[in-house]
Amino acid sequence: MDYIKAFLIGGLICALVQILMEKTKLMPGRIMVGLVCLGTVLGAIGIYQPFVDWAGAGASVPLLGFGNSLWKGVKEGIGKDGFLGIFTGGISATAAGITAALVFGYIASLVFSPKMKE
C-alpha cells in the first residue's frame, strides 16, 4: 500500500506542476526554483515533514522534498556550527543526492550521446 500511496501522491504533485507549466508563461527553471523554495518554506513552518511522514517517497522525491531536505540540513547545521551552519548545513544534507544526479547524468550522456538544440 505504501508504494501505491507514494505513486499517487508523487504523481499528483507532478501533474499539478505540469498543469502549472502548461497554463502559465513561467519558464520551467523558475517553476523548479519555486518548488524548491516552497518546499523549504513549508519545511520551515512545520507543514511538509508530517506530509512526508504520511506520503513517504511520493512527497520526499519531488523538488518540494529537496527543498525540505535543504531546510532540515540548515536547521541541523545551525544547531551544530552556529551561524556557519546556514551556509554548510543544506549542502551537507543534500550532497549525496546532488552527487548522484551529477554522476548518473554524466553516465546517461555517455550512453545516449546528447545533441545541442538548434
Side-chain angles (χ1 to χ4, degrees), residues 4 19 30-31 51 58 64 111 117:
I4 294 170
I19 291 169
R30 290 182 184 211
I31 292 173
F51 181 58
L64 291 167
V111 172
K117 286 186 175 181

Side-chain angles (χ1 to χ4, degrees), residues 20-113:
L20 182 67
M21 290 174 72
E22 297 291 328
K23 298 295 182 184
T24 66
K25 293 186 180 201
L26 291 172
M27 300 297 290
R30 290 182 184 211
I31 292 173
M32 290 191 291
V33 169
L35 290 170
V36 172
C37 293
L38 181 62
T40 303
V41 170
L42 291 175
I45 60 177
I47 294 174
Y48 204 73
Q49 190 57 46
F51 181 58
V52 169
D53 294 340
W54 176 76
S60 64
V61 171
L63 284 173
L64 291 167
F66 181 73
N68 186 48
S69 295
L70 285 172
W71 161 249
K72 288 193 298 188
V74 168
K75 186 176 172 184
E76 289 175 15
I78 290 171
K80 181 179 164 189
D81 299 326
F83 182 75
L84 188 60
I86 294 171
F87 305 104
T88 61
I91 299 299
S92 62
T94 59
I98 293 169
T99 303
L102 290 172
V103 169
F104 290 124
Y106 179 71
I107 291 170
S109 74
L110 292 175
V111 172
F112 295 107
S113 64

